[in-house]
Amino acid sequence: MAERGAMKWIITFTVIVAATLELVDTTIVNVSLPQIMGNLGGTLEDIGWLVTSYAVANVIILPMSGWIGMRFGRKNYFFTSIIVFTVASFLCGNSHTLTELIVFRVIQGLAGGGLLSTCQAILLETWPREEIGMATALFGLGAVVGPTIGPAIGGYITDHLSWQWIFYVNIPIGVLAAICVKFFVRQHRSPHRFPVDWIGIILLAITVGSLQIFLEKGNSEDWFDTTYIAVLAFVVLIGGILFVRRELTTDHPILDFKILRHRSFALGIVTSFAFGFGLYSSTFVLPIFCQNLLGFSAQQTGQIIMYGGIATISILPFVGSALKKGIPAQIICLGGMVLFLIFTQMLSRFTLSAGLDDFLAPILIRGFGLSLLFVPITTLALQDVPHEELGQATGLNNMMRQLGGSLGIAIITTIMSSRFAMHRSHLIENVSSASPQFNERLNSAIQALTSKGMSFADAKRMALESVNASVLKQTYLLTYTDAFWIGGIIFMVAIPFIFMQRFKRKVKIAEVH
């Protein structure tokens, strides 16, 4: 039963806070990794598991969230997830060893995955069916803005407080969300007491968890040249086959594949996958580009990304209103994809002299593009899904977006490695004694250094080091710009899937009872 008046907005506020709480934590840790590594010790490989462990736990629980909500009651599951997430956040901030922190990040990820899809399902139950576009737009405030503002918040906290506070800030927000859920969110549907499919749960956890680790760690471990990565690939293949077979034959599946009978949903999860690819891969590459190559601080990088988040927030309500008025979601999606392509093409033309002001226009375009993408993509995917299957649908849809992000980062890092080698090889061809331009620049640098009293040998060595550093910077620049360009192309590939989905003058989801 849909809510009306003030209650509708109170529940909406609660849901947005909870969704943002979870999604901010997918990226807030990234800019604090060097400080955590210095404080708790461990190698760069060890510290990387802070991000991987959260993502793995998150993606394991996402497809199960609809089933858990039906089994124990959606409100009960939502409330418990918030409490567990808040307690885990305190334990993360209070960790004294890296092992402790990784364990508590897993718990945080399991609880956070339950928040995301349950948030969306509750929101769709709360709003009247004719306002579903607006409801999805409001949910997008958390789903799109969360990963975008995470680095900004993390950078500010790390520079001004300490890394522990990136976890402690979750506590008051989590307490507020839990209180609102307890007193304002209704239990729309009684829990169903059906048998637990333990075999399905185990197979899902093994398959999805192995896939996530394979994608997260594959590039850094040279893919199939590393034994455990090859084993993970085998586990994903066999586990996936066994899981699908199990879910198609059991009476009470964890993930009901029959939901794919809805054409718009089956096509929608493909576009959600592409959306995750573009969103997370660009969020991954941009901070590295700004900090490692252009020399920006963590806070400056966060501010750049924050501008895009503000742009997204400002446009999302208008997108929901446009859908409510009957503008086809496919047309809005197309506009968002074109804007995102423009963003990637602008960044692909940046030089080493780019400053903070140069990022404003492309980042704003990215923010506007994302706001035009998330709402219509989600609305199109869920438009034909009956009310009783919304929990399963939102869980699977969100999992596909998360996996798209993981695959996007894996592909981008792999491509960057190969493109780096190619660009360096091409640039070095011109750095030889046979090149008049190289000899002229080298001799000029040597003369400048010797004129300051340096010996010829030292001057030549420093001049060569300077040339090598310049080549290295140019190589990284070409590599990063390639990564931006490729990320934009992925969105273009997804366009046909959007227009294969059913057109409606007014996109609606089955009536909420």
Side-chain angles (χ1 to χ4, degrees), residues 184-399:
F184 300 115
V185 175
R186 288 196 219 176
Q187 189 73 274
H188 285 278
R189 184 178 294 274
S190 299
H192 295 286
R193 301 300 178 185
F194 42 75
V196 178
D197 179 21
W198 291 109
I199 295 176
I201 291 176
I202 293 171
L203 286 173
L204 176 63
I206 292 173
T207 303
V208 177
S210 298
L211 176 60
Q212 184 73 9
I213 296 173
F214 173 80
L215 295 173
E216 293 266 347
K217 295 296 181 180
N219 184 68
S220 62
E221 299 287 353
D222 295 324
W223 296 105
F224 294 101
D225 290 338
T226 305
T227 302
Y228 91 87
I229 294 295
V231 171
L232 284 174
F234 178 77
V235 170
V236 171
L237 177 62
I238 301 302
I241 293 172
L242 293 176
F243 175 70
V244 172
R245 180 181 178 185
R246 171 69 183 180
E247 298 309 283
L248 291 176
T249 56
T250 187
D251 293 332
H252 301 286
I254 291 293
L255 182 58
D256 191 354
F257 286 105
K258 294 177 183 177
I259 198 171
L260 296 176
R261 71 186 183 277
H262 304 295
R263 176 185 173 86
S264 286
F265 180 74
L267 294 169
I269 59 176
V270 176
T271 54
S272 292
F273 185 89
F275 177 71
F277 188 112
L279 174 63
Y280 286 99
S281 61
S282 64
T283 304
F284 168 77
V285 175
L286 187 60
I288 300 174
F289 175 63
C290 291
Q291 293 183 59
N292 291 2
L293 195 60
L294 301 181
F296 295 173
S297 68
Q299 185 173 343
Q300 287 174 320
T301 305
Q303 287 173 348
I304 290 171
I305 298 173
M306 178 73 80
Y307 296 146
I310 293 172
T312 302
I313 292 172
S314 65
I315 296 297
L316 276 171
F318 295 103
V319 175
S321 178
L323 287 170
K324 184 178 177 181
K325 292 178 179 177
I327 297 176
Q330 288 88 342
I331 302 301
I332 300 175
C333 277
L334 179 61
M337 289 183 173
V338 170
L339 286 177
F340 197 90
L341 182 63
I342 292 172
F343 154 75
T344 57
Q345 296 311 297
M346 290 178 72
L347 285 189
S348 70
R349 291 177 171 82
F350 269 28
T351 66
L352 292 173
S353 62
L356 286 171
D357 293 340
D358 297 312
F359 280 87
L360 181 60
I363 286 296
L364 289 177
I365 290 172
R366 177 183 184 269
F368 294 144
L370 291 179
S371 66
L372 297 179
L373 283 168
F374 177 80
V375 179
I377 284 175
T378 304
T379 308
L380 281 171
L382 301 177
Q383 64 178 322
D384 294 328
V385 178
H387 174 264
E388 61 273 11
E389 294 181 300
L390 276 178
Q392 289 268 4
T394 54
L396 184 56
N397 189 58
N398 287 321
M399 185 194 77

Side-chain angles (χ1 to χ4, degrees), residues 305-506:
I305 298 173
M306 178 73 80
Y307 296 146
I310 293 172
T312 302
I313 292 172
S314 65
I315 296 297
L316 276 171
F318 295 103
V319 175
S321 178
L323 287 170
K324 184 178 177 181
K325 292 178 179 177
I327 297 176
Q330 288 88 342
I331 302 301
I332 300 175
C333 277
L334 179 61
M337 289 183 173
V338 170
L339 286 177
F340 197 90
L341 182 63
I342 292 172
F343 154 75
T344 57
Q345 296 311 297
M346 290 178 72
L347 285 189
S348 70
R349 291 177 171 82
F350 269 28
T351 66
L352 292 173
S353 62
L356 286 171
D357 293 340
D358 297 312
F359 280 87
L360 181 60
I363 286 296
L364 289 177
I365 290 172
R366 177 183 184 269
F368 294 144
L370 291 179
S371 66
L372 297 179
L373 283 168
F374 177 80
V375 179
I377 284 175
T378 304
T379 308
L380 281 171
L382 301 177
Q383 64 178 322
D384 294 328
V385 178
H387 174 264
E388 61 273 11
E389 294 181 300
L390 276 178
Q392 289 268 4
T394 54
L396 184 56
N397 189 58
N398 287 321
M399 185 194 77
M400 291 301 294
R401 185 173 63 248
Q402 191 85 2
L403 285 177
S406 298
L407 182 62
I409 292 172
I411 290 176
I412 287 294
T413 51
T414 301
I415 291 174
M416 285 173 66
S417 296
S418 63
R419 300 292 287 181
F420 178 86
M422 184 199 73
H423 288 308
R424 182 167 177 78
S425 175
H426 288 167
L427 290 173
I428 286 178
E429 289 177 1
N430 299 313
V431 183
S432 69
S433 57
S435 170
Q437 293 85 356
F438 168 72
N439 288 325
E440 182 181 348
R441 178 171 178 177
L442 180 65
N443 292 329
S444 176
I446 291 173
Q447 289 176 8
L449 292 170
T450 53
S451 66
K452 295 179 180 179
M454 189 176 293
S455 69
F456 179 80
D458 288 341
K460 184 176 182 180
R461 177 180 55 80
M462 290 192 65
L464 288 171
E465 288 177 354
S466 175
V467 171
N468 183 63
S470 178
V471 169
L472 191 62
K473 279 190 173 183
Q474 289 295 332
T475 303
Y476 275 119
L477 176 65
L478 293 171
T479 302
Y480 286 130
T481 53
D482 284 351
F484 289 124
W485 182 81
I486 292 166
I489 294 300
I490 293 298
F491 270 125
M492 298 299 101
V493 174
I495 288 178
F497 292 96
I498 292 175
F499 284 93
M500 289 167 63
Q501 292 175 278
R502 186 158 56 88
F503 274 84
K504 283 188 176 182
R505 284 296 298 167
K506 288 192 177 182

Side-chain angles (χ1 to χ4, degrees), residues 38-49:
N39 188 252
L40 298 181
T43 64
L44 185 61
E45 178 68 20
D46 295 333
I47 209 74
W49 282 101

